[in-house]
Amino acid sequence: MTSIVGAEALEQSYDVVVVGSGGGALTGAALAAAAGLSTVVLERTDWIGGTSAYSGGACWLPGTAVQQRAGLPDSTEGARSYLAAVLEDPDPSKVEAMLTEAPRLVERLEADPLMEFEWIPFAEYYDAPGRVPMGRSIQPSAIRRDQLDAAVTALVRPPVDKDRAGKPGRSTLSGGQALIGRLAAMVARDGGVIATGVQVTGFGRDDDGRADRVLAQGPDGPLEITARRGILIAAGGFEGSPDRRAAHATPGDAAWTMAPHGTNTGEVIDAAAAIGAATDFSGEGWFCPGLAQPDGSGTFTLGFRSGLMVDSNAQRYGNECLPYDRFGRLMAQAPERIPSWYLFDDREGGRLPAIAMPEGDPDEHLAAGTWVKADTLEALGAGTGLDADALRATVERFNGYAATGVDEEFGRGQDEYDTFFASAGSPNKALVPLDQPPFYAARFVLSDLGTKGGLVTDATARVLDVDGAPIPGLYAASNSTASVFGSAYPGPGAPLGAAMTFASLAVQDLSRNQAQSI
Ligand SMILES: Cc1cc2nc3c(=O)[nH]c(=O)nc-3n(C[C@H](O)[C@H](O)[C@H](O)COP(=O)(O)OP(=O)(O)OC[C@H]3O[C@@H](n4cnc5c(N)ncnc54)[C@H](O)[C@@H]3O)c2cc1C
């Protein structure tokens, strides 16, 4: 089904054609429309927002007025030090572009009555110079649906609990839904067009080499739309494609990704490569432990409050309270870690002591065998196939650490992130003994919030060709690109923060392009 907001039908040409409708795409579209450029957003599914709509809406955008208003010790300089410490082999020009653009972008967006940000306390992911205590991430404030254009809010992808588990929706848009709803309303108000049900399949270049066309599949057949000033690709990664994941040796599995079903399969990246774009498939993603679900999916889990993770040898292999991407990377290091089992006791009444999006129904998990419940550790071993002696030894060792408050193997509870969610232990907030039967084991796989290898771009988000020269008219941001952060996930909101800043830089650059007459 196609919906078009802002027009009766699609035109044959626009100043700006935006591919995808996540946070980066809609930031670009909103800024382009606000600058008076005719703008169209093409989204393949019936919903706008992709994974961005599922998200918490945290944006790692350092040094803005929002952190100043919150009285945080944040600054561009501090963020520069932090990134210098946590990024491996970054492109300095892109890092600097992001740092410089972040405050300007937020100022521009907040000048619009439809956009408002606030600080959210959420610890950053590395203990490194420049880290801000309790984090520097910001998010769009929640907004009631009836405060935005109804035609737009009707298209915003439901929250993950509703989309994946059929839970009730919300009348207030918050987190990622607020980001998508607010930005899309700005696009529509300023004359932009948003079309769903249109899958982009290719790009074309004119005789001078300028990328000037988008080829797409609409409900009534193929479409060709020309872009007078530029094309912005911000259409997710290839996390939903088993073949592309295998080809680029990306850990995890398309069945376990958090991208909404039917969204991000990477054909847009390949289509850009087909007209000469360089790619850097690093095998990278934003990884996380994924709670295995009865339907074979894996769901994003963070913030473990008690319990411990073991591999197929019943051994712990890391600090379970690490930031999720860092724990996911540990999972990816050895085959005996996928699947893992998360062991927990009855202190939360048989619920997983963590935030899982979605958790699923405990009874369904137990019936499907994705969870096992037993009165003794021996029986838990029998139910999971874990060696009972090894399991008992691991749990006894862990309970000893809980008693002394010192995790001698992995240092759990020493970092501010560890105790951000876990607070019930004593003397160490993050170490709670496993001693209240019945005991549970939940199966875990390696999930992700998207891949982050793809199109190679420069500091103004221009897509580069295999010789390192910009392809005129072609821009990219979001998980469609090789990430500015490489293998690191600096803090909450890094995916959206980067996507939004580079989309903004793209629009500034393409605004300077001479409009091509078609
Ligand atoms: C539960 C959860 C919470 C998260 N919280 C945060 C957070 O707070 N902050 C943060 O920064 N990150 C968060 N993330 C991660 C983040 O949401 C994603 O990594 C990021 O939003 C991806 O943005 P994107 O624009 O690349 O892709 P998406 O947001 O997925 O958007 C891509 C869109 O492009 C469309 N598309 C794909 N191919 C085509 C095509 N060929 N033609 C037309 N359209 C196409 C897709 O259908 C999709 O709608 C979270 C993720 C999850 C699952």
Side-chain angles (χ1 to χ4, degrees):
M1 192 185 77
T2 302
S3 294
I4 302 179
V5 170
E8 293 288 310
L10 289 176
E11 306 279 332
Q12 283 186 334
S13 75
Y14 294 86
D15 289 327
V16 186
V17 180
V18 178
V19 186
S21 65
L26 291 182
T27 297
L31 294 172
L37 302 176
S38 73
T39 302
V40 67
V41 174
L42 303 177
E43 162 58 47
R44 70 183 279 187
T45 67
D46 293 343
W47 300 107
I48 57 169
T51 322
S52 305
Y54 279 180
S55 79
C59 303
W60 197 83
L61 291 167
T64 79
V66 187
Q67 290 94 350
Q68 277 177 26
R69 289 201 298 267
L72 299 184
D74 172 50
S75 64
T76 300
E77 185 52 41
R80 187 178 289 121
S81 308
Y82 183 68
L83 290 184
V86 307
L87 301 188
E88 272 178 39
D89 197 21
D91 175 338
S93 67
K94 289 183 68 174
V95 171
E96 207 45 48
M98 177 167 176
L99 290 171
T100 310
E101 180 60 11
R104 294 181 188 162
L105 168 63
V106 171
E107 186 181 354
R108 222 170 299 130
L109 290 176
E110 281 204 319
D112 192 303
L114 286 179
M115 186 55 85
E116 179 186 298
F117 287 97
E118 63 196 21
W119 170 62
I120 39 163
F122 195 163
E124 289 179 294
Y125 298 164
Y126 296 87
D127 181 12
R131 185 192 212 184
V132 173
M134 290 298 111
R136 48 161 61 92
S137 304
I138 61 175
Q139 68 178 6
S141 306
I143 187 163
R144 288 200 325 270
R145 281 177 182 273
D146 62 12
Q147 291 177 275
L148 297 174
D149 181 340
V152 166
T153 56
L155 290 183
V156 176
R157 182 173 286 281
V160 62
D161 273 354
K162 180 172 186 200
D163 217 18
R164 289 207 168 180
K167 296 266 171 67
R170 315 176 195 130
S171 56
T172 297
L173 300 174
S174 60
Q177 281 198 303
L179 180 71
I180 296 304
R182 285 174 179 275
L183 289 169
M186 288 158 68
V187 175
R189 182 205 56 204
D190 290 341
V193 174
I194 300 173
T196 59
V198 179
Q199 180 175 15
V200 171
T201 52
F203 302 101
R205 297 176 78 166
D206 67 14
D207 293 343
D208 297 328
R210 197 176 141 271
D212 68 341
R213 266 160 296 156
V214 167
L215 312 175
Q217 193 62 38
D220 303 323
L223 295 167
E224 183 172 315
I225 300 175
T226 46
R228 290 189 291 264
R229 290 185 195 253
I231 299 165
L232 171 60
I233 300 171
F238 55 91
E239 55 271 17
S241 164
D243 294 346
R244 291 181 174 100
R245 290 186 84 110
H248 305 307
T250 308
D253 193 297
W256 301 335
T257 185
M258 285 304 293
H261 303 306
T263 55
N264 303 335
T265 43
E267 68 277 6
V268 179
I269 302 173
D270 286 2
I275 61 160
T279 53
D280 184 5
F281 289 113
S282 48
E284 282 298 342
W286 314 98
F287 296 112
C288 58
L291 177 65
Q293 297 292 337
D295 67 0
S297 64
T299 57
F300 175 27
T301 307
L302 78 166
F304 292 104
R305 296 181 289 273
S306 60
L308 59 148
M309 188 82 88
V310 296
D311 64 14
S312 61
N313 300 317
Q315 303 300 317
R316 288 177 75 212
Y317 51 89
N319 164 11
E320 297 84 349
C321 293
L322 274 177
Y324 48 88
D325 175 71
R326 293 176 62 190
F327 196 85
R329 285 167 191 276
L330 291 181
M331 293 184 88
Q333 279 173 9
E336 65 269 22
R337 297 176 183 175
I338 304 173
S340 287
W341 289 97
Y342 200 77
L343 313 179
F344 58 102
D345 66 12
D346 204 43
R347 67 186 59 240
E348 296 202 16
R351 306 302 299 249
L352 186 76
I355 304 164
M357 295 180 235
E359 178 182 348
D361 179 61
D363 290 336
E364 285 174 22
H365 276 298
L366 290 168
T370 44
W371 289 15
V372 175
K373 176 182 176 184
D375 289 329
T376 64
L377 291 177
E378 286 66 26
L380 200 65
T384 53
L386 295 169
D387 180 84
D389 291 338
L391 186 63
R392 170 160 296 287
T394 296
V395 170
E396 281 175 359
R397 207 160 44 242
F398 180 81
N399 286 351
Y401 301 154
T404 61
V406 180
D407 173 3
E408 291 173 18
E409 290 167 279
F410 305 110
R412 174 163 154 181
Q414 285 172 11
D415 186 72
E416 98 170 22
Y417 187 91
D418 298 3
T419 50
F420 187 74
F421 297 100
S423 58
S426 175
N428 180 328
K429 287 183 182 173
L431 288 173
V432 176
L434 187 96
D435 59 4
Q436 294 187 14
F439 300 113
Y440 298 82
R443 196 169 186 268
F444 268 81
V445 292
L446 177 62
S447 183
D448 61 73
L449 312 181
T451 54
K452 54 168 169 166
L455 300 171
V456 177
T457 52
D458 69 6
T460 46
R462 297 179 300 182
V463 175
L464 304 181
D465 69 15
V466 288
D467 297 319
I471 297 177
L474 194 61
Y475 298 81
S478 89
N479 291 349
S480 303
T481 64
S483 173
V484 61
F485 298 130
S487 59
Y489 195 152
L496 285 171
M500 292 164 70
T501 33
F502 284 104
S504 172
L505 288 162
V507 169
Q508 288 167 49
D509 198 80
L510 69 78
S511 305
R512 292 190 284 268
N513 292 344
Q514 185 97 41
Q516 302 292 308
S517 50
I518 306 294

